[in-house]
Amino acid sequence: MTDAPVLQLTGVTQQYGEGATSVSALSGVDLTVQRGELVAIMGASGSGKSTLLSIAGGLQKPTTGEVIVEGTYLSTASARQLAQLRRRSLGFVFQDFNLIPTLTALENVTLPLELDGFRARVARRAGRDALASVGLEDKLAAYPDDLSGGQQQRVAIARAVVGGRRLILADEPTGALDSVTGEAVMKMIRSRVDQGAAGILVTHEARHAAWADRIVFLRDGRIVDQSRRDGAETLLAGTP
């Protein structure tokens, strides 16, 4: 791993509303993720897990604090710079897949590259390679409705990693999948991180968090505990 982190959150807070009705989703969160590191975020519903992921990916701005992705300060980045960063550096994997139903598997994967100005032939080659890496080289022309849930999630992962994205953000990516397919999805995410990406995995499943190098626990918007892989079993043993 390099010394410079891929992702750094410093003093991040997120507050909704004002006065007596205000709600604090995150409170003073500090988090650093290095290249080649997968960090699992765990916590009860409403603890701030998805908010943290959204802020890390520049989908929303924190109330206070700073987010830095590959040296880019998101607070001062323009809308164009943020869009470019998401296309080139960030890969999102969501529980509900977010595939475009009118596009084939290959078109769904290559769309971010084409929007970023890649020539169609180059984008298609990269898309085919990404789909092959998740075992879907025979489903290039299939539409999402013709694919199983597990296959759709693999297409979403191929889209998240195509073009060599360096930060993978996964929000409950196995929540809608059976246990066998869920384990396969975790292997794919782990493999991409082992190849040099940084990753954040939001999950409520201890067996999936066990794939991570570090587990961070959130409670009421604050990091209350964390452990690296060699100490994770002790933390997970007490997870409800």
Side-chain angles (χ1 to χ4, degrees):
M1 292 188 295
T2 62
D3 292 332
V6 175
L7 172 68
Q8 185 171 358
L9 281 70
T10 304
V12 167
T13 68
Q14 183 64 57
Q15 190 141 352
Y16 300 107
E18 297 180 358
T21 60
S22 68
V23 175
S24 182
L26 294 175
S27 300
V29 170
D30 296 321
L31 180 67
T32 297
V33 186
Q34 302 282 354
R35 185 174 182 266
E37 182 181 30
L38 178 61
V39 175
I41 307 293
M42 300 190 75
S45 177
S47 60
K49 303 186 302 295
S50 294
T51 299
L52 187 153
L53 204 69
S54 181
I55 288 174
L59 297 179
Q60 66 182 94
K61 289 189 176 183
T63 304
T64 63
E66 187 59 78
V67 182
I68 308 170
V69 178
E70 292 199 311
T72 297
Y73 286 74
L74 302 195
S75 63
T76 57
S78 66
R80 181 176 180 180
Q81 287 173 317
L82 286 173
Q84 186 179 77
L85 186 71
R86 293 189 200 106
R87 290 196 304 266
R88 295 181 179 178
S89 298
L90 304 178
F92 294 92
V93 185
F94 301 100
Q95 182 175 337
D96 57 0
F97 316 139
N98 284 346
L99 300 179
I100 299 174
T102 55
L103 298 183
T104 65
L106 180 59
E107 289 168 342
N108 265 283
V109 173
T110 60
L111 181 61
L113 298 180
E114 293 179 2
L115 291 174
D116 200 33
F118 279 69
R119 296 171 113 183
R121 183 167 55 183
V122 174
R124 285 196 298 270
R125 183 167 63 245
R128 285 194 296 268
D129 290 345
L131 285 166
S133 74
V134 297
L136 291 178
E137 59 270 25
D138 60 338
K139 298 292 185 181
L140 304 182
Y143 290 91
D145 285 347
D146 299 321
L147 300 173
S148 68
Q151 289 172 331
Q152 289 184 54
Q153 189 60 295
R154 282 188 276 166
V155 172
I157 291 174
R159 182 184 58 192
V161 303
V162 72
R165 287 180 177 81
R166 278 85 64 188
L167 178 58
I168 309 301
L169 304 172
D171 192 359
E172 299 281 7
T174 62
L177 307 176
D178 62 73
S179 60
V180 174
T181 305
E183 290 297 305
V185 165
M186 286 308 308
K187 286 182 182 179
M188 294 169 200
I189 294 174
R190 180 73 250 184
S191 175
R192 181 66 192 97
V193 170
D194 288 341
Q195 292 168 18
I200 295 183
L201 166 72
V202 166
T203 183
H204 66 279
E205 294 279 0
R207 69 179 187 275
H208 294 150
W211 288 85
D213 301 291
R214 181 160 44 112
I215 300 172
V216 173
F217 286 88
L218 282 181
R219 182 183 301 140
D220 298 328
R222 298 180 183 273
I223 293 177
V224 295
D225 209 345
Q226 59 182 304
S227 176
R228 295 206 167 269
R229 180 179 287 178
D230 55 2
E233 292 183 1
T234 301
L235 282 176
L236 291 173
T239 303

